[in-house]
Amino acid sequence: MENGQSHGGDGRKARADSQDSQNSQTALEFIDSQLQLEADAREALPYAFDHCTQPLGPLRQNLYSCLTCNPPPNSPSDSYTPAGVCYSCSIACHGEHELVELFNKRNFTCDCGTTRLPATSPCTLRIDPATGIKGPVHSQPAAPDNTYNQNFRNRFCGCGELYDPHTEKGTMFQCLGLANESEGGCGEDWWHPECILGNTRDTFSKGNSKAELVSKQEPDATTFEDNNGDQEGESELEELPQGFPQEDDFETLICYKCVDAIPWIKRYAGSTGFLPPVSKTGGMTEAEQKSQLLNWADKYHEAGEKTQEELRDSRAQPDLNGYDQPSETTSAEESIQESGNHTSDAKGEAATHQGESAVPTRPLSSLKRPAEDDDGDQGSPQHKKTKLENSRHCYYETLPQPPSEAFSLFLKEDFRDHFCRCPRCYPDLCKHRQLLEEEESYEPPMSEDDGEGEGSVGTRSLLDRGEAALNNVDRVRAIEGVMVYNHLKDKVKSFLQPFAESGQAVGADDIKAYFEKLRGDEQAIKAAAMAGSSGSGDEDHRREQSVRSIAVALAALAPGVSALGSTSYNGLAKTPQMGWAYGCDIDADTLLETAEKMVDFGFRDLGYKYVILDDCWSNQQRSPNGSLVANVTKFPDGIKAVADKIHDMGLLFGMYSSAGLYTCAQYPASLGHEAQDAQTFADWGVDYLKYDNCYNQGQEGTSKLTFDRYNTMSQALNKTEHPIFYSMCNWGRDYPWNWAQTMANSWRISGDVYDSFDRPDDRCPCTTYDCPLPGFHCSIMNIIGKVAPIVDKGQPGGWNDLDALEVGNGGMSDDEYKAHFSMWALVKSPLIMGTNIPKMTAATYSILANPAVIAINQDSAGMPAYRVWNRAADLDDFDQGEISLWVGTLAGGDYVVGLLNAGNTPLQMNATLEEIFVDKRTTAGGSTKGPLPSSNGWDLYDLWANRMDDITANSVLMGNATVNGTITDTPNSTTLYNATEMAYADGVKRNNTALLGVKTSSVPPMGTIQAMVPSHGIAMYRLRKQEGASMKKRDEL
């Protein structure tokens, strides 16, 4: 815990002195010195600090309270507006302020940039909702669910002392925090051991002798620093008061305040998994401690007798509650037995220091009175198994009544396994998730480069920062930068040439004088920057530049920088495209209304960027000069006016044509007019072209014929030097997945989809990808069967297109729509909505707006899931039925698993880790590849568990909730995500709960996933490897 945290100080003065130095140095010396400074900074601040955690919503995270921005009053009773900031903001926004570190607090959203902090200290890391750019942001609404305690005033413990890092010594322990201050609890406060026992600090430090203290070394809890920065415990023994448990004996504690606030937990004191109650009585002598342990052993012996009598009456009955009961050995007895062994190992020195053991050492059997009617071998595994399996009673009711005085509760490592989970007890238990499962704390990504350009721009090397900046630079600024570079490169080369020939070092004054001279040529530089622009404004200029030209120029500036989407022929489609398209007869008003709703409903910020105008938009004839002409009734202001308005909403605009004489609705198409039409599309600001296959003049039947026909338009689009996403729609004819990657961004793999889960239709006659007649009216399962053998053909830059999404069109059930959406996401198909967005239902919205599933589709690894096995199942009304297992590799070592039940009845589906990781078992030659993923434990995250409820969805659709990454007016903040503000890849790295889903269970090494899957439904999980070599075994799904 640190107070007065500073990220500047002498370092800033040193840098200022360096800048004032008139001494010259070589470029190599300067770079070396900068690299050393960066290494020192990285060691001091190992985590990246370029993103505020506010977009991630409530997290358990490390917090800081800024005493400079919010100085607390002298009296604890005076009113105060507390605020907590995240790690990144503590450095980037409050680095020169006085901070107090609060350590981890649960369910907290960073307050930086909100009304809880003065407007004079804005957040420089958050996105300004008014401008859409990063910082400065201030006076935003604070998260309403944040809770605060006295720690934010720099006061800790029940004693309420101000924390001073220069005088504080010893170890403090954090309460598990079952209740907030407003509820009578402590709110995860940190406690002095003596204050847990009701002592004052003066009494402990002055009145107690060493003979009354328990010593320990190397504490696991927070150890404060003395004036010299040396940790107590490393240089000398730390002393704990008499009556406070040895730290090795417990995992965590619940203070007497929280125990009193949640009184039902009191009865667990002394039971299995819990130490006996530690009373707030000023501590106990050895005799008192011994007496208390004996008393609790007797109580549990009596409770055990009562339990055995009840069990004998119920042994023939099955366990109807499905919850485990603890073992018979009580924690009180264990404590007595274990406490007598503190003279060995690490505790030997402590026991010698005391002179004798603090508790009795006689065997446990002498403390437990024998029952007259014990059932033989009470401790045998078989006896315990019978008790666990056959008990019907509530375990909680068998626990003795707790003492009446206030006490704290100390919990062992396995305490979570010993709570009663009967129907009566579980509702109280589940209100406190920290009692059910170990909490995961958010940890910022490391600042060092991860090899993918995703590290902190502010903390990596000069070269890495340059590459990251170039990869993320605004397009207009990049173009202007290239122009400036082209104008300056020859001049700078001439300036540096004499230095290179003479071996003379370039000094700071030389560079300064040279660029002062160049400032007189500023107008020429500006002219060069504008030379590439002949449009009517910055927005037109932005849209009419070629991504490829920028990539080439950036490569000239930094040869080590790879162009975005390097596997793509045009730099686009790093992930599958997302958007909306809706058939024929769409006019300007419909397009713009839909675009507005896509923004209002949060679809744009979920990644649905493209608004695509399909067939029937043009006149029946071309203009006299051969150009395509928009229908004036549908588009009275022309196509460009519509495109501009859509761009102004932060969306992209798509159009339709066909590689034939006519479109499928018999309007003019582009075969023979490719160059002219491509330029028309570019002039209109089109960002996406869907290119169909109707009336193709017989130019198909071989891969070469079809390739040449579609490649003509591809080349024409490239020549416009305007980035246009090229979506081939040739229905899978002539195997486009084998050759389209070099000239298109996606390609259809089948005939047209229709709104049915698995009904066969003669108009879609093929059931495999090798299809001479693709047809139309192809069901969801028909298309899934066709893509299964070719999923690996999709990759960043080019994707298998399974056709538009039918979700919401009314022909399928809710489970079928969930399965449809999930499968499209799993195999990395484009996610193009095909429903009426302004009129969509809550159920439709909550499927299409599930960011946990979208994150699978948009995963940066770009690896489609594949089908591991496919088996027969009960046939439905259409004589169809199968089940299948799908597995995909994700970025960062995660995996995705889909259990698809296309059978007629709900099924419990099983998938072993060996099946899931079957591809990892052998190489192509058949030899084992080393440690297998199946030998690890894996955590399971249900990707549909956070699906938005209908009430919340309706609130969004009715305009009663604000959608900006999270729904600020409702508590269900984990169901939306803002990918405009933070890319999916970054959100996953930061463990955003909206993207990970809900952790439901863990699978042990060599274990099995089990899931009850509805008929025509799917179970979908993200798998994340458990940390550590040896993992605790958790309940299987």
Side-chain angles (χ1 to χ4, degrees):
M1 182 177 295
E2 297 182 24
N3 194 9
Q5 176 184 354
S6 174
H7 307 287
D10 294 339
R12 289 189 298 276
K13 184 178 185 302
R15 288 193 294 274
D17 292 342
S18 175
Q19 290 168 357
D20 292 338
S21 174
Q22 300 300 313
N23 296 329
S24 298
Q25 61 181 148
T26 67
L28 180 60
E29 290 172 340
F30 176 75
I31 291 174
D32 287 342
S33 66
Q34 290 298 304
L35 291 175
Q36 184 58 49
L37 287 173
E38 290 166 359
D40 293 342
R42 190 176 297 114
E43 182 176 358
L45 300 171
Y47 298 109
F49 47 86
D50 47 7
H51 286 92
C52 174
T53 61
Q54 185 273 341
L56 303 179
L59 301 169
R60 178 172 174 79
Q61 60 178 311
N62 208 29
L63 295 178
Y64 299 79
S65 177
C66 182
L67 305 184
T68 302
C69 293
N70 281 12
N74 292 329
S75 172
S77 61
D78 291 345
S79 62
Y80 178 61
T81 302
V85 300
C86 66
Y87 168 83
S88 294
C89 290
S90 75
I91 299 171
C93 309
H94 303 268
E96 301 181 9
H97 297 175
E98 183 182 6
L99 301 173
V100 56
E101 186 175 5
L102 309 179
F103 294 93
N104 284 318
K105 299 282 186 184
R106 70 174 60 92
N107 298 331
F108 199 95
T109 303
C110 180
D111 283 324
C112 195
T114 71
T115 54
R116 285 189 167 271
L117 290 164
T120 53
S121 294
C123 182
T124 61
L125 301 180
R126 290 176 60 176
I127 301 297
D128 189 335
T131 64
I133 61 176
K134 184 178 289 188
V137 175
H138 63 83
S139 305
Q140 294 296 305
D145 295 329
N146 282 354
T147 59
Y148 306 86
N149 66 357
Q150 65 172 354
N151 297 165
F152 292 82
R153 299 172 178 250
N154 193 30
R155 293 184 181 273
F156 294 85
C157 188
C159 64
E161 278 191 354
L162 288 170
Y163 171 65
D164 183 350
H166 302 293
T167 60
E168 186 69 50
K169 296 182 179 180
T171 301
M172 296 182 75
F173 298 86
Q174 188 176 28
C175 174
L176 194 57
L178 298 189
N180 301 317
E181 281 189 348
S182 61
E183 300 167 330
C186 73
E188 298 183 277
D189 205 347
W190 291 84
W191 290 78
H192 302 110
E194 57 270 26
C195 296
I196 283 286
L197 301 176
N199 290 322
T200 65
R201 302 214 68 201
D202 289 340
T203 300
F204 174 66
S205 61
K206 298 177 181 178
N208 289 359
S209 67
K210 286 189 176 181
E212 296 173 325
L213 302 173
V214 179
S215 301
K216 69 178 293 294
Q217 287 182 298
E218 300 178 1
D220 294 328
T222 300
T223 304
F224 297 100
E225 298 179 356
D226 64 13
N227 291 313
N228 297 321
D230 296 327
Q231 288 189 342
E232 294 289 332
E234 294 179 355
S235 59
E236 60 181 71
L237 294 175
E238 290 184 13
E239 298 174 336
L240 295 174
Q242 177 66 48
F244 193 90
Q246 289 285 341
E247 190 176 340
D248 288 345
D249 293 342
F250 68 94
E251 175 77 10
T252 186
L253 66 85
I254 303 173
C255 72
Y256 57 80
K257 288 185 177 182
C258 289
V259 169
D260 284 343
I262 310 294
W264 61 263
I265 202 168
K266 292 183 176 182
R267 289 179 68 173
Y268 284 101
S271 66
T272 307
F274 304 82
L275 297 185
V278 176
S279 178
K280 182 191 173 188
T281 59
M284 293 180 291
T285 65
E286 292 179 12
E288 289 172 334
Q289 187 179 30
K290 173 182 176 182
S291 175
Q292 183 192 59
L293 292 173
L294 289 170
N295 179 45
W296 278 90
D298 288 343
K299 285 186 177 183
Y300 276 93
H301 170 71
E302 294 167 2
E305 289 179 332
K306 178 181 178 182
T307 302
Q308 293 304 317
E309 184 176 349
E310 292 174 351
L311 287 174
R312 282 192 296 272
D313 295 336
S314 61
R315 288 229 172 115
Q317 302 297 327
D319 181 1
L320 301 181
N321 292 326
Y323 58 92
D324 292 340
Q325 307 304 329
S327 64
E328 291 184 11
T329 304
T330 69
S331 182
E333 296 164 346
E334 293 169 352
S335 297
I336 297 173
Q337 190 175 36
E338 293 169 3
S339 298
N341 296 325
H342 287 319
T343 58
S344 63
D345 302 330
K347 301 302 179 190
E349 187 175 353
T352 302
H353 174 69
Q354 288 183 262
E356 62 179 6
S357 176
V359 290
T361 58
R362 61 177 171 152
L364 177 63
S365 59
S366 66
L367 294 174
K368 181 176 180 181
R369 300 173 185 171
E372 296 179 0
D373 56 350
D374 278 352
D375 292 342
D377 186 7
Q378 293 285 318
S380 70
Q382 182 60 40
H383 173 81
K384 294 180 180 180
K385 182 177 180 182
T386 302
K387 179 176 179 179
L388 292 175
E389 292 180 351
N390 293 342
S391 175
R392 295 182 59 196
H393 66 273
C394 170
Y395 165 63
Y396 181 80
E397 292 299 328
T398 69
L399 301 177
Q401 291 297 323
S404 58
E405 67 270 15
F407 65 85
S408 298
L409 193 56
F410 286 74
L411 291 64
K412 292 191 171 185
E413 188 176 10
D414 63 345
F415 73 92
R416 293 183 176 90
D417 298 333
H418 302 290
F419 284 111
C420 180
R421 287 172 167 80
C422 74
R424 184 168 58 178
C425 295
Y426 188 75
D428 286 330
L429 182 64
C430 70
K431 295 176 183 176
H432 308 281
R433 301 298 300 180
Q434 63 269 42
L435 297 181
L436 290 173
E437 61 181 4
E438 187 173 352
E439 298 176 284
E440 295 182 1
S441 296
Y442 170 78
E443 187 173 276
M446 300 298 291
S447 64
E448 295 161 333
D449 187 14
D450 60 5
E452 298 178 1
E454 299 292 345
S456 170
V457 174
T459 56
R460 292 177 290 157
S461 71
L462 293 171
L463 175 61
D464 295 334
R465 279 183 271 168
E467 290 186 355
L470 288 172
N471 278 327
N472 293 282
V473 72
D474 176 82
R475 193 174 297 172
V476 172
R477 293 180 63 187
I479 295 168
E480 292 176 348
V482 171
M483 298 300 181
V484 171
Y485 170 77
N486 287 332
H487 178 74
L488 289 178
K489 64 180 180 180
D490 292 334
K491 292 185 177 182
V492 174
K493 182 178 179 180
S494 299
F495 162 67
L496 294 175
Q497 189 68 31
F499 292 94
E501 293 174 351
S502 65
Q504 179 185 356
V506 182
D509 289 339
D510 298 318
I511 297 173
K512 182 178 178 181
Y514 176 71
F515 279 96
E516 284 178 348
K517 180 180 178 180
L518 279 183
R519 289 193 186 102
D521 200 15
E522 186 175 4
Q523 286 303 117
I525 295 174
K526 289 183 178 180
M530 296 299 294
S533 172
S534 58
S536 58
D538 287 344
E539 291 300 316
D540 293 338
H541 177 64
R542 183 191 304 268
R543 298 187 188 110
E544 293 172 3
Q545 303 303 318
S546 168
V547 166
R548 292 174 297 282
S549 297
I550 295 172
V552 171
L554 290 176
L557 281 166
V561 179
S562 59
L564 293 176
S566 57
T567 59
S568 168
Y569 87 102
N570 62 357
L572 302 177
K574 291 181 68 178
T575 58
Q577 68 268 33
M578 298 173 62
W580 171 87
Y582 193 63
C584 202
D585 289 332
I586 300 296
D587 58 17
D589 291 339
T590 303
L591 276 179
L592 295 176
E593 180 189 14
T594 298
E596 289 172 357
K597 293 300 182 184
M598 289 174 67
V599 175
D600 294 343
F601 295 167
F603 282 125
R604 176 196 64 187
D605 292 333
L606 284 167
Y608 294 95
K609 297 290 189 182
Y610 290 102
V611 181
I612 303 165
L613 175 61
D614 214 296
D615 205 348
C616 312
W617 58 266
S618 72
N619 284 339
Q620 293 286 350
Q621 301 293 329
R622 290 177 175 267
S623 71
N625 68 357
S627 298
L628 292 169
V629 180
N631 184 293
V632 69
T633 302
K634 297 177 181 178
F635 301 94
D637 297 323
I639 297 295
K640 188 177 187 306
V642 174
D644 288 346
K645 291 177 181 178
I646 288 175
H647 289 148
D648 290 341
M649 299 181 202
L651 295 164
L652 299 171
F653 178 60
M655 289 199 67
Y656 168 95
S657 188
S658 180
L661 291 182
Y662 306 104
T663 69
C664 296
Q666 298 184 339
Y667 288 83
S670 297
L671 185 64
H673 295 267
E674 289 87 355
Q676 185 177 22
D677 291 353
Q679 191 58 55
T680 296
F681 297 146
D683 293 342
W684 286 347
V686 173
D687 307 295
Y688 182 107
L689 177 64
K690 174 184 175 181
Y691 204 44
D692 219 328
N693 194 34
C694 289
Y695 301 101
N696 59 35
Q697 300 292 285
Q699 295 183 37
E700 65 177 5
T702 69
S703 294
K704 183 67 168 65
L705 277 173
T706 303
F707 174 88
D708 288 345
R709 180 162 51 96
Y710 278 91
N711 190 47
T712 303
M713 176 57 82
S714 175
Q715 295 301 314
L717 294 173
N718 291 351
K719 289 179 181 178
T720 68
E721 297 191 344
H722 173 76
I724 298 178
F725 191 108
Y726 187 31
S727 173
M728 280 179 47
C729 182
N730 81 320
W731 320 320
R733 292 299 303 269
D734 299 327
Y735 316 110
W737 46 84
N738 286 331
W739 44 263
Q741 291 93 339
T742 60
M743 42 83 71
N745 299 118
S746 66
W747 47 87
R748 282 273 299 279
I749 59 102
S750 76
D752 292 351
V753 69
Y754 89 120
D755 195 12
S756 173
F757 186 73
D758 67 350
R759 189 185 79 85
D761 192 302
D762 287 343
R763 290 166 290 184
C764 180
C766 299
T767 58
T768 69
Y769 71 92
D770 189 8
C771 182
L773 183 60
F776 62 104
H777 266 223
C778 299
S779 71
I780 302 303
M781 289 304 300
N782 176 280
I783 294 176
I784 290 173
K786 290 173 179 174
V787 78
I790 59 170
V791 288
D792 62 306
K793 300 297 185 179
Q795 59 185 337
W799 305 100
N800 290 316
D801 183 356
L802 278 60
D803 207 356
L805 294 163
E806 291 293 325
V807 179
N809 290 333
M812 289 185 266
S813 68
D814 188 75
D815 284 329
E816 289 171 338
Y817 279 139
K818 282 174 56 180
H820 167 29
F821 186 67
S822 299
M823 289 304 305
W824 262 230
L826 278 167
V827 301
K828 302 294 190 290
S829 173
L831 300 180
I832 304 297
M833 298 181 288
T835 192
N836 189 328
I837 289 180
K839 295 182 179 180
M840 69 167 42
T841 65
T844 297
Y845 179 72
S846 63
I847 292 175
L848 295 171
N850 184 344
V853 175
I854 296 173
I856 301 300
N857 180 262
Q858 298 293 295
D859 184 77
S860 58
M863 300 180 69
Y866 67 96
R867 190 167 65 186
V868 177
W869 50 252
N870 189 46
R871 299 166 183 166
D874 291 344
L875 300 182
D876 60 18
D877 293 342
F878 303 120
D879 292 329
Q880 305 295 308
E882 62 185 75
I883 59 174
S884 53
L885 168 64
W886 297 75
V887 175
T889 301
L890 304 175
D894 290 356
Y895 290 84
V896 62
V897 170
L899 291 166
L900 178 63
N901 177 15
N904 193 46
T905 56
L907 290 175
Q908 176 174 296
M909 294 184 64
N910 303 325
T912 68
L913 291 183
E914 286 190 299
E915 291 174 321
I916 291 170
F917 298 116
V918 63
D919 272 9
K920 305 296 181 181
R921 293 176 60 184
T922 59
T923 63
S927 59
T928 301
K929 297 176 71 174
L932 302 176
S934 55
S935 64
N936 299 313
W938 294 83
D939 292 328
L940 265 65
Y941 293 82
D942 188 337
L943 300 181
W944 282 104
N946 263 346
R947 180 183 178 182
M948 187 182 295
D949 61 84
D950 285 350
I951 294 176
T952 304
N954 273 319
S955 182
V956 175
L957 298 176
M958 297 298 292
N960 296 326
T962 301
V963 180
N964 184 22
T966 60
I967 301 176
T968 58
D969 296 338
T970 69
N972 194 6
S973 61
T974 59
T975 51
L976 285 179
Y977 182 77
N978 191 330
T980 302
E981 185 170 308
M982 182 179 290
Y984 281 101
D986 292 333
V988 170
K989 286 183 179 180
R990 288 163 173 79
N991 297 322
N992 186 286
T993 54
L995 305 186
L996 295 186
V998 174
K999 182 181 174 182
T1000 56
S1001 66
S1002 298
V1003 182
M1006 307 305 292
T1008 300
I1009 296 177
Q1010 298 177 330
M1012 182 58 67
V1013 187
S1015 171
H1016 290 191
I1018 195 169
M1020 190 174 180
Y1021 301 99
R1022 178 186 286 266
L1023 271 63
R1024 177 159 288 187
K1025 183 180 177 181
Q1026 293 177 338
E1027 298 294 335
S1030 60
M1031 304 300 301
K1032 295 179 182 178
K1033 185 174 181 180
R1034 299 179 184 268
D1035 293 337
E1036 292 185 14
L1037 181 65

